[in-house]
């Protein structure tokens, strides 16, 4: 236990050094070779495999698992990377229990799907450790494409474009490339600097330049980019944070969960990161879970997640909810923030309205309220596009795209969280970036 | 309560589970551990002639193949007969037999193929009080290069000759151990019977190269970069052994000749199958070498429970019950028509049945119904081959159902007669015995 263990308010150093290390180690330790063989042997090599159909990037899962079981991990990695060049990160962060592993016939048979995510990690880790590159660029086309955003969508798009022989410049607002992989994912999901290692692995194909600290609308405009390049791909994610619209929101101790997660990822020493003794996280998605769990892991004594609807409506997967509960997070449903209780300019609690559905199915306060005492509140109530679109058509607060990722503006494509469609998953962003690159290539090459 | 006591050619043992002649029976220490663990008998590892013993390789002598999770399925060895001094072995055999009078102690022997050699060793073995001898005519490697083991077992005339010497110079029961490395195992079995053998035991190990090291290009087990063929055994060898046992059991000339069944026996069920095909008892080696002697507990318990369930009081009640059902292909009933049936409640929709039928067989399993993933057998294409049953990962999900008489086989459009008719009388058979059509 650290010196700050029971300190009221927001304080750093609540834990001992080894506790920090233990709390933020790999959530799922990787499989060793024999474990991988045993797990891979469980795969039935299904025909028209349901797991593959459930994968947004359509990785040939039965084939890569068979390659693992025959001790051909590089072959397995190639099978994975052919469809998903960020297969390493997806192996770590995909909600597999809602995708491939939910579809696994062994889930139907015995409630124990093949651990596809861990097997994917096994193969991709080996290939990346060996620095094995499976793809060679086509002859230079002389075409240049700008990619805005070095997150999963942008990297996947850039890799596929580079593969086709185009030259790519990626612009990213942050100091490091990787997007949410670098800044937006719980630390225990991708420890050891994996996000940067993956950026290096993806760009090793050549033909990709990354310029960090370059912000759309600040350092350049979209029309400028469209003028300088043969095509533009927007994969800039959702940079803005929704506001709570509750009194006291400006008080000291009301913070964005997104910023908290990013600070955690970038912290050189977790003991320097302050955290409340009693923390409330508002929201029901993956970001809320990541913030709540990491608050607990940083030494917060009490962490409560509040969500305005019921368990079934939460965006966080069942697995994530169970993980939070196992780490000691209390999840409360049907509660919406009404007012931040402020004392001396600092958060002292949060007043919440009990919520219910009226007969018409609309969410309404019941009139009853409760107060949870706390010294820190994290907002995880969704993100917004940080640009007005600069002329591209928006829909529902996102950049409108067609099935190939084309926006309303000629020469401009978009994908990932900033674009319509998709489900805000890393793996979906990869698929959209990759598919937009194919569309760009067809357009540029007149195919 | 089933009575597992075994009387095999007059050799009595508390149960039918013997350890085969092999490393587990090479010395008193192992054999006494086996008897303490509950094994009914042993065949002592093969003794050679007096004088300096053989030498084994000093590198690896075993190799294996594995299924998932490194479950050993096949095993191979290049070990020779005992490399211990003959007198030492004989002393230990005598002591063990005295200490364990109720357990069977049979001694395996292999000496050069001349009368004097056999005449010399037989009294030495008999003096130990051993219950019988087993003639090692099966060892496929090393010793066969010196004119012994399989080199004898592959020549029926030699088999008969040596058996005759053994019966002539010894009062002990003689079990002749046969090699599977022949085209027709009935020939050496008949020869052994003609020579007067009391029983045959089979199979010995099968000529094999178990694997190749793809770095050094040496066969495994590798001795300094080279490999030699070895003897293959273990669960994967069982079907070959079952067939050979059945052939001897149903052969007109050897029918009734006692058989000690050997070959990949790992569980009570394997043992029961050998005995059902005509083996009066069984010998085990690989399973013990993989799991230790304790497996005999499972074998005893499993066989006993199965016998109780079936109402078999003694082993003799079921030995040979399956051999009468082994026949030639030409006598199989061509009017027995089955179709695969997929239990939709058990089906987990892996699609394996569909793709193997589609790619490699008869295109008889649909993959979709009303736009939904669905696997169902189409009777008008199903030939009843059983491939889908074999590849289905769910037990009992697919079964073969015989069409009842009077129904129509949708594939051929013919009515199922329910009468027996085989190839010998089939109209398509140019050699048919009768002009009567099968129908």
């Amino acid at each position: 236990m650290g010196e700050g263990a029971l300190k009221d308010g927001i304080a750093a150093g609540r834990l001992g050094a080894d506790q920090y290390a233990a709390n933020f180690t790999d959530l799922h330790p990787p499989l060793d070779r024999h474990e991988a063989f045993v797990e891979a042997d469980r795969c039935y090599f299904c025909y028209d495999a349901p797991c593959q159909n459930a994968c947004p990037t359509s990785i040939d899962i039965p084939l890569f698992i068979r390659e693992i079981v025959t001790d051909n991990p590089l072959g397995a990695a190639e099978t994975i990377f052919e469809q998903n060049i960020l297969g390493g990160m997806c192996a770590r962060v995909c909600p597999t229990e809602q995708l491939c592993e939910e579809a696994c016939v062994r889930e139907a048979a015995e409630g124990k799907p093949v651990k596809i995510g861990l097997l994917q990690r096994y193969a991709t880790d080996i290939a990346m450790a060996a620095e094995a590159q499976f793809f060679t660029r086509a002859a230079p086309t002389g075409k240049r494409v700008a990619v805005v955003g070095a997150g999963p969508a942008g990297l996947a798009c850039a890799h596929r474009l580079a593969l086709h022989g185009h030259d790519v410049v990626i612009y990213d607002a942050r100091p490091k490339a990787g997007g949410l992989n670098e800044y937006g994912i719980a630390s225990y999901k991708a420890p050891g600097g994996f996000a940067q290692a993956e950026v290096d692995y993806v760009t090793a194909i050549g033909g990709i330049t990354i310029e960090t600290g370059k912000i759309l609308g600040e350092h350049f405009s979209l029309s400028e980019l469209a003028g300088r390049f043969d095509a533009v791909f927007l994969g800039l994610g959702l940079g803005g944070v929704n506001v709570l619209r509750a009194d006291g929101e400006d008080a000291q101790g009301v913070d964005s969960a997104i910023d908290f997660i990013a600070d955690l990822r970038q912290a050189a020493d977790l003991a320097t990161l302050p955290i409340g003794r009693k923390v409330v996280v508002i929201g029901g998605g993956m970001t809320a879970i990541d913030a709540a769990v990491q608050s607990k892991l940083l030494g917060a004594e009490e962490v409560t997640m509040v969500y305005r609807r019921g368990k079934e409506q939460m965006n966080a997967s069942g697995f994530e909810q169970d993980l939070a509960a196992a780490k000691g997070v209390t999840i409360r449903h049907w509660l919406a923030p009404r007012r931040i209780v402020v004392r001396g300019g600092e958060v002292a609690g949060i007043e919440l309205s009990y919520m219910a559905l009226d007969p018409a199915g609309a969410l309404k306060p019941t009139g009853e309220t409760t107060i949870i005492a706390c010294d820190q509140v994290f907002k995880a109530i969704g993100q917004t596009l940080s640009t007005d679109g600069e002329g591209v058509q928006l829909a529902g607060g996102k950049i409108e795209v067609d099935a190939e990722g084309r926006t309303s503006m000629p020469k401009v494509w978009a994908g990932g969280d900033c674009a319509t469609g998709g489900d805000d998953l890393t793996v979906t962003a990869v698929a959209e970036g990759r598919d937009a690159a194919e569309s760009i290539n067809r357009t540029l090459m007149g195919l | 309560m089933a009575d597992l006591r075994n009387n095999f050619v007059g050799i009595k043992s508390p149960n039918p589970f013997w350890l085969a002649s092999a490393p587990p029976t090479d010395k008193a220490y192992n054999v006494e551990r086996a008897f303490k663990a509950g094994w009914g008998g042993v065949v002592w590892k093969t003794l050679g002639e007096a004088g300096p013993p053989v030498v084994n390789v000093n590198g690896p002598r075993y190799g294996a193949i594995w299924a998932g999770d490194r479950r050993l399925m096949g095993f191979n060895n290049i070990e020779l007969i005992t490399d211990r001094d003959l007198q030492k072995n004989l002393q230990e055999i005598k002591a063990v037999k005295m200490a364990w009078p109720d357990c069977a102690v049979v001694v395996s022997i292999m000496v050069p193929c001349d009368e004097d050699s056999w005449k010399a060793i037989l009294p030495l073995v008999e003096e130990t009080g051993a219950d019988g001898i087993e003639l090692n005519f099966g060892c496929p490697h090393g010793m066969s290069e010196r004119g012994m083991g399989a080199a004898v077992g592959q020549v029926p005339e030699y088999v008969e000759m040596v058996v005759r010497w053994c019966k002539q110079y010894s009062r002990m029961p003689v079990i002749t151990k046969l090699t599977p490395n022949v085209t027709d195992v009935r020939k050496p079995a008949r020869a052994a019977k003609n020579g007067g053998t009391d029983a045959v035991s089979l199979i010995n190990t099968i000529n094999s190269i178990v694997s190749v090291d793809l770095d050094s290009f040496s066969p495994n087990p590798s001795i300094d970069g080279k490999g030699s063929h070895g003897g293959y055994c273990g669960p994967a060898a069982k079907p070959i052994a079952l067939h050979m046992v059945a052939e001897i059991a149903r052969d007109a000339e050897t029918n009734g000749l006692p058989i000690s069944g050997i070959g990949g026996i790992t569980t009570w069920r394997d043992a029961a199958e050998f005995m059902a095909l005509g083996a009066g008892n069984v010998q085990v080696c690989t399973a013990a070498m993989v799991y230790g002697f304790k497996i005999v507990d499972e074998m005893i318990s499993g066989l006993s429970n199965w016998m109780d369930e079936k109402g078999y009081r003694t082993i003799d009640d079921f030995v040979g019950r399956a051999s009468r059902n082994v026949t030639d292909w030409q006598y199989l009933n061509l009017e027995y028509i089955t179709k695969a049936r997929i239990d939709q409640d058990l089906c987990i929709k892996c699609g394996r049945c569909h793709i193997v039928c589609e790619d490699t067989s008869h295109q008889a399993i649909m993959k979709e119904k009303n736009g939904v993933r669905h696997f169902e057998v189409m009777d008008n294409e199903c030939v009843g081959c059983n491939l889908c049953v074999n590849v289905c990962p769910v037990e009992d999900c697919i079964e073969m159902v015989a069409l009842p008489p009077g129904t129509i086989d949708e594939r051929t459009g013919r009515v199922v007669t329910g009468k027996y008719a085989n190839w010998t009388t089939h109209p398509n058979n140019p050699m048919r015995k009768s002009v009567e059509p099968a129908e």
Side-chain angles (χ1 to χ4, degrees):
Chain A
M1 214 178 257
E3 287 172 19
L6 301 176
K7 216 182 261 181
D8 280 330
I10 301 173
R14 292 189 183 275
L15 304 176
D18 46 348
Q19 276 177 293
Y20 283 114
N23 284 358
F24 287 89
T25 188
D26 233 321
L27 181 62
H28 303 288
L31 299 177
D32 68 23
R33 186 164 171 270
H34 182 71
E35 286 171 327
F37 285 168
V38 172
E39 192 58 28
D41 192 60
R42 297 182 64 232
C43 174
Y44 287 144
F45 202 71
C46 293
Y47 163 73
D48 187 21
C51 55
Q52 181 176 0
N53 294 329
C55 174
T57 53
S58 303
I59 292 171
D60 191 339
I61 295 166
L63 179 60
F64 94 64
I65 292 180
R66 194 169 174 80
E67 287 165 330
I68 287 175
V69 89
T70 54
D71 202 14
N72 177 16
L74 292 182
E78 182 171 4
T79 299
I80 294 161
F81 289 138
E82 272 170 8
Q83 289 296 111
N84 182 338
I85 193 65
L86 275 79
M89 184 59 87
C90 289
R92 290 163 167 77
V93 303
C94 258
T96 50
E97 71 281 1
Q98 295 176 336
L99 299 169
C100 52
E101 292 178 17
E102 181 182 54
C104 176
V105 298
R106 276 197 179 258
E107 168 65 25
E110 65 209 68
K112 291 195 186 80
V114 175
K115 292 171 182 160
I116 297 166
L118 280 170
L119 288 170
Q120 180 166 318
R121 176 166 174 190
Y122 171 79
T124 52
D125 277 0
I126 288 174
M128 289 172 72
E131 296 181 14
Q133 289 285 331
F134 302 103
F135 308 102
T136 313
R137 297 187 67 196
T141 61
K143 304 286 185 188
R144 297 178 69 239
V145 182
V147 169
V148 182
L155 287 170
C157 183
H159 185 270
R160 188 57 66 98
L161 288 168
L163 182 68
H164 285 307
H166 311 304
D167 287 323
V168 183
V169 181
I170 307 181
Y171 298 100
D172 197 279
R174 302 260 199 176
K176 286 195 219 169
L180 288 184
N181 287 355
E182 176 60 40
Y183 292 97
I185 284 164
S187 299
Y188 48 76
K189 288 181 184 168
F194 181 77
Q196 288 311 300
E198 188 170 54
V199 170
D200 294 342
Y201 182 76
V202 170
T203 53
I205 189 171
I208 302 172
T209 310
I210 300 181
E211 296 191 17
T212 54
K214 295 287 170 64
I215 302 171
L216 177 68
E218 201 174 313
H219 298 102
F220 48 82
S221 71
L222 184 53
S223 54
E224 229 178 283
L225 281 186
R228 276 168 40 213
F229 289 88
D230 295 297
V232 178
F233 174 78
L234 299 175
L236 41 84
L238 298 172
V241 178
N242 282 330
V243 290
L244 221 44
R245 294 194 203 89
D247 286 346
E249 190 168 352
D250 301 331
Q252 186 82 33
V254 181
D255 299 305
S256 149
I258 298 284
D259 292 344
F260 169 60
I261 290 166
D263 290 347
L264 233 159
R265 280 294 294 276
Q266 302 305 315
D269 178 7
L270 293 167
T272 64
L273 270 188
I275 188 73
R277 183 175 178 186
K278 295 177 180 177
V279 175
V280 169
V281 180
I282 302 165
M286 298 290 204
T287 302
I289 297 270
D290 282 358
V293 169
Q294 295 195 107
S295 297
K296 193 73 196 163
L297 298 180
L298 275 180
E301 191 177 3
E302 286 176 27
V303 178
T304 310
M305 251 180 83
V306 295
Y307 178 57
R308 64 200 169 117
R309 294 177 184 267
K311 180 176 170 64
E312 290 69 31
Q313 289 82 32
M314 288 178 74
N315 272 333
S317 67
F319 172 81
E320 295 280 335
Q321 295 181 43
D322 291 346
L323 173 70
K327 298 291 184 190
V329 173
T330 304
I331 304 180
R332 297 185 63 179
H333 304 103
W334 302 108
L335 286 173
R338 183 179 151 88
R339 177 175 69 92
I340 305 291
V341 181
V342 183
R343 205 168 292 144
E346 294 180 355
V347 173
I350 182 165
E351 184 178 337
L352 302 143
S353 295
Y354 282 92
M355 306 297 283
L357 297 178
D358 70 9
L363 189 66
K364 292 276 167 61
T366 63
E368 291 156 295
T369 62
T370 187
I371 289 179
I372 300 177
C374 60
D375 31 42
Q376 192 165 26
V377 172
F378 287 121
K379 298 179 287 184
I381 52 173
Q383 291 118 265
T384 57
L385 200 57
S386 58
T387 164
D388 63 3
E390 297 196 29
V392 292
Q393 181 101 33
L394 302 185
K398 292 192 170 193
I399 298 170
E400 190 169 45
V401 292
D402 66 10
E404 292 189 17
R406 286 181 292 224
T407 70
S408 63
M409 193 182 283
K411 296 174 70 177
V412 180
W413 281 254
D417 291 357
C418 72
T420 54
D423 41 20
D424 296 354
L425 294 175
T426 305
V427 64
T428 312
V430 171
E432 291 172 358
R434 175 199 71 192
D435 295 346
E438 290 296 343
S439 177
I440 292 168
N441 180 56
R442 283 193 297 272
T443 304
L444 295 185
M445 305 309 288
L447 300 173
Chain B
M1 187 66 187
D3 181 353
L4 293 190
R5 282 178 300 174
N6 187 230
N7 183 338
F8 187 77
V9 295
I11 303 170
K12 295 192 173 97
S13 58
N15 62 56
F17 303 111
W18 292 7
L19 284 168
S21 168
T25 59
D26 192 27
K27 54 187 185 295
Y29 180 83
N30 304 77
V31 170
E32 298 215 78
R33 284 181 70 85
F35 287 155
K36 283 177 196 157
W39 290 88
V42 299
V43 181
W44 202 280
K45 186 169 167 77
T46 308
L47 307 184
E49 60 186 333
V54 300
V55 294
N56 272 298
V57 293
N58 295 297
R61 58 184 80 166
Y62 305 128
I65 61 168
W66 298 272
D69 207 2
R70 275 180 76 82
R71 181 172 296 272
L72 187 145
M73 297 307 295
F75 194 59
N76 148 298
N77 83 88
I78 55 168
E79 183 172 298
L80 303 180
I81 62 173
T82 185
D83 54 12
R84 302 187 329 134
D85 179 69
L86 176 63
Q87 283 308 321
K88 175 90 173 147
N89 272 311
L90 292 169
Q91 283 161 16
E92 288 186 8
I93 291 166
K94 186 171 189 173
V96 167
K97 184 60 206 178
M98 277 180 73
W100 298 87
D102 298 332
C103 292
V105 177
V106 172
V107 177
S108 175
I109 307 174
M110 180 199 290
V111 291
C113 207
D114 59 70
E115 191 168 354
D116 287 345
S117 296
W118 288 91
K119 199 173 168 181
I121 195 163
L122 289 166
L124 302 180
V125 174
E126 191 157 337
E127 198 275 327
T128 65
D131 296 297
I133 54 172
E134 184 180 79
L135 313 184
N136 182 343
F137 294 160
C139 194
H141 49 268
M143 302 312 291
S144 54
E145 295 170 12
R146 306 172 200 181
M148 292 179 267
V152 177
Q154 285 162 340
V155 183
E157 292 78 5
Y158 293 172
V159 172
E160 182 175 341
M161 176 177 74
V162 177
V163 170
R164 206 177 293 283
W165 292 335
C166 291
K167 290 307 291 181
Q168 186 181 344
Y169 297 118
S170 159
R171 286 177 287 107
M172 293 179 288
V174 173
I175 304 168
T176 305
K177 188 165 181 177
L178 302 178
T179 174
N181 300 309
V182 292
T183 36
D184 186 348
V185 77
R186 292 175 301 181
K187 301 286 168 57
R190 288 170 188 159
K193 190 181 181 191
N194 291 341
T197 195
D198 295 281
V200 290
S201 58
L202 70 155
I203 58 171
N204 206 308
T205 53
I206 306 164
N207 283 341
S208 60
I209 289 177
V210 79
S211 64
V212 175
D213 184 316
L214 290 179
D215 293 320
S216 65
F217 288 108
S218 169
N220 285 319
S222 175
I223 301 297
D224 195 21
K226 304 275 186 199
S228 176
H229 78 265
Y232 189 58
C233 52
K238 181 184 125 186
I240 295 164
L242 282 178
H243 162 251
M244 291 187 168
V245 165
E247 286 303 285
I248 292 170
R250 75 188 187 96
D251 180 57
E253 289 184 42
T254 52
N255 180 293
L257 179 65
I259 300 170
S260 186
I262 312 169
I265 295 164
T266 308
T267 68
W268 72 265
R269 188 177 291 275
D270 298 330
E273 289 177 24
F274 270 87
M275 292 194 270
L277 282 175
N281 74 3
V282 294
Q283 298 183 32
V284 176
C285 169
T286 308
M289 290 186 73
V290 173
Y291 300 107
F293 289 147
K294 190 182 175 178
I295 53 163
V296 76
D297 287 343
E298 173 279 318
M299 292 180 168
I300 290 169
S301 158
L303 187 66
S304 176
N305 287 340
W306 173 74
M307 286 171 62
D308 287 346
E309 186 191 319
K310 295 290 182 186
Y312 301 130
R313 205 176 50 78
T314 70
I315 286 165
D316 291 340
D317 290 351
F318 69 90
V319 165
R321 289 282 286 262
S323 49
R324 72 186 72 153
N325 292 326
V326 181
T327 184
D328 292 345
W329 192 97
Q330 61 181 332
Y331 300 123
L332 297 177
N333 184 3
L334 295 175
E335 287 295 304
Y336 175 74
I337 297 163
T338 63
K339 301 287 178 187
R341 289 278 175 273
I342 301 175
D343 183 329
Q344 294 298 330
D345 292 333
L346 290 176
C347 176
I348 59 172
K349 299 187 170 52
C350 69
R352 293 250 303 263
C353 57
H354 162 77
I355 197 59
V356 296
C357 190
E358 193 70 17
D359 280 354
T360 70
S361 294
H362 303 92
Q363 297 78 47
I365 299 179
M366 66 177 77
K367 61 180 177 181
E368 198 177 287
K369 195 176 191 178
N370 303 324
V372 178
R373 187 177 175 88
H374 176 89
F375 301 96
E376 190 178 311
V377 175
M378 295 176 281
D379 281 3
N380 59 341
E381 300 291 350
C382 178
V383 303
C385 75
N386 211 38
L387 178 62
C388 54
V389 173
N390 294 145
V391 305
C392 179
V394 180
E395 197 177 359
D396 297 332
C397 176
I398 310 181
E399 60 174 340
M400 301 306 300
V401 178
L403 295 183
T407 53
I408 291 177
D409 177 356
E410 287 182 33
R411 185 176 69 87
T412 59
R414 290 175 56 233
V415 175
V416 179
T417 64
K419 291 180 192 148
Y420 169 83
N422 65 42
W423 175 246
T424 62
T425 57
H426 195 280
N428 288 17
N429 180 0
M431 317 282 279
R432 66 184 173 276
K433 291 171 181 161
S434 158
V435 291
E436 292 287 315
E439 251 175 290

